Amino acid sequence: MAAKNPPWALRWRSNTFFIIATVAIGLFTDLFLYGLVVPVLPFMLQGRLSIPEDEIQSWVSYLLAAYAGASVVSSVPAGWIADRTNSRQGPFLSGLAALLAGTIMLALGQSIAVLVAARLLQGVSAAVVWTVGLAMVLDTVGPQNLGKVVGSILSFISIGTLLAPVIGGTLYEKTGYMGVFGLGAGILALDFLMRLLVVEKKTAAEYTADSARDDQGDSQSQSSDGDVDVDGPVPSEEDALLPRKEDEEYIIREVPNRLVRALPVLICFKSPRLLMSLGIAFVQAMLLGLYDATIPTEAHSLFGFSSLKAGLVFIALDVPYLLLGPLAGWAVDRHGTKPVAVVGFAWMVPALALLRLPPQEPLPRPQNIALYCALLALNGVGLAMISSPSVVEASDVVKRYERANPGFFGDNGPYAQLYGFNSVFFCAGLAVGPVAAGALKDALGYGDMNLVFAVLSALTAILSFVYIGGPPPRLVFWRST
């Protein structure tokens, strides 16, 4: 087969680093625009829309939840479409239209209805970028490197989480709404350019004469002609033809029904490992929603902080997340998902429980502010540890199903569908977290609200020990006897 004429600059556009960077920038943009308005929302609601002060916390929670709720509804359809298209770039680009429209509406909206609609559109965009983006990463680096790559990406995009509230609060105080959303428009432009330029590995391979699809007998790695850096994962003969002994429990023996044939990843939900990995995503997102919904209002009520100072408080939470994310991802690849998940959620128990202290004002105001920031930093350490296990565990389970049942999931595999469901659970957590946190804070107070989430983290640590990565050794022995 004659090689096609390659597009301009195909080598670097299909380079592994550029693909990962494009996905990272897309996720960064999503989280940056999400967090940019977090410290601004209370003041926007009060100043622009004249919402009564006693209703501000509830409406902040509802707006955060609207974003997450839209992502829940959109994630699985986005994954289904991505697994059935020849290229993931098209769906990846399409999410920007919703994000752009939502950002404009948020900048100019003069009513609660418009703001809610804006957050819904941003949530649809988030569903696309997380679902399709993670599938592109797996296509590019393979499951063996997924933990450290995902950990590094999440660490990088935590810069968006870190900087967005700070920059949002600063710009709002100095320039008003237009400064905040003008910056958002600039980042959207960069994101659009990178998504437009990126070329997937499988697309790049079509332009090289030595990557003809019908050359199945050659078991050697095929060399590049110098125009394309095709360094993605190459499946082995064992992966393609024969299920491994440890994968026998993943063999599909029954005839799938119509729903499973339409959405093949559903067959994988028989695995308790997969269900628990999705549960971890849900709890992780609840905790993120907890911080976003309560830190600005608590900092304002406890210390009298402005939007700028409330945004600066997020630095204490996000710096440990930024620094330790790649290390946690490496630990997942090296030691497995179980120990990292168990230690991470166990760490969150005292970290959350200790947040009861600052509202009791045990120290003078300056020292109490320092105490609050130090406790948020401890929470950031825990967030870094729990960030990677969910995605890596879910990918491993589905990879075993795919390896044990060659051809069942189609040419592209079910990974965009998988990440669609992962996004559903994650965004459901983002939807439930702020609302639950707001309701608990109003009913119990800030300290007892955090205690409830500490108990939830303890339960998640126990369930992770039992199910994540398979049953622990003693349970395996007990089952065998």
Side-chain angles (χ1 to χ4, degrees), residues 240-255:
L241 300 177
L242 298 175
R244 301 178 182 180
K245 184 177 181 180
E246 63 268 24
D247 295 338
E248 289 181 358
E249 65 178 285
Y250 299 96
I251 296 176
I252 301 170
R253 306 185 189 279
E254 70 272 16
V255 178

Side-chain angles (χ1 to χ4, degrees), residues 38-83:
V38 167
V40 177
L41 277 178
F43 304 93
M44 180 187 297
L45 292 170
Q46 191 171 30
R48 187 198 294 182
L49 303 184
S50 302
I51 300 296
E53 187 171 356
D54 60 348
E55 298 180 14
I56 295 295
Q57 177 66 74
S58 296
W59 278 112
V60 168
S61 298
Y62 293 149
L63 288 171
L64 295 176
Y67 168 97
S71 294
V72 168
V73 174
S74 307
S75 292
V76 174
W80 186 88
I81 293 171
D83 278 338

Side-chain angles (χ1 to χ4, degrees), residues 53-116:
E53 187 171 356
D54 60 348
E55 298 180 14
I56 295 295
Q57 177 66 74
S58 296
W59 278 112
V60 168
S61 298
Y62 293 149
L63 288 171
L64 295 176
Y67 168 97
S71 294
V72 168
V73 174
S74 307
S75 292
V76 174
W80 186 88
I81 293 171
D83 278 338
R84 281 161 174 75
T85 55
N86 293 329
S87 171
R88 303 199 194 276
Q89 185 184 28
F92 201 46
L93 271 170
S94 67
L96 276 176
L99 184 58
L100 176 61
T103 302
I104 292 173
M105 291 172 66
L106 198 63
L108 303 178
Q110 297 292 326
S111 69
I112 281 290
V114 173
L115 296 188
V116 170

Side-chain angles (χ1 to χ4, degrees), residues 108-192:
L108 303 178
Q110 297 292 326
S111 69
I112 281 290
V114 173
L115 296 188
V116 170
R119 297 299 281 176
L120 291 174
L121 286 172
Q122 289 182 327
V124 171
S125 173
V128 174
V129 69
W130 282 92
T131 298
V132 181
L134 289 176
M136 287 179 66
V137 169
L138 182 63
D139 292 344
T140 303
V141 305
Q144 68 276 10
N145 296 312
L146 189 61
K148 61 185 176 185
V149 172
V150 169
S152 298
I153 288 176
L154 293 179
S155 177
F156 166 73
I157 65 178
S158 71
I159 298 174
T161 309
L162 168 65
L163 294 180
V166 179
I167 295 175
T170 303
L171 287 176
Y172 174 73
E173 191 166 281
K174 302 297 182 182
T175 66
Y177 302 116
M178 290 302 102
V180 174
F181 294 104
L183 175 63
I187 293 176
L188 273 172
L190 173 62
D191 185 16
F192 173 77

Side-chain angles (χ1 to χ4, degrees), residues 188-222:
L188 273 172
L190 173 62
D191 185 16
F192 173 77
L193 181 63
M194 294 187 71
R195 293 197 207 191
L196 189 64
L197 289 175
V198 72
V199 177
E200 299 170 66
K201 292 292 183 184
K202 62 182 179 181
T203 302
E206 295 175 0
Y207 291 94
T208 60
D210 59 349
S211 62
R213 296 176 184 271
D214 59 349
D215 190 12
Q216 299 176 359
D218 186 3
S219 60
Q220 301 293 325
S221 321
Q222 298 186 7

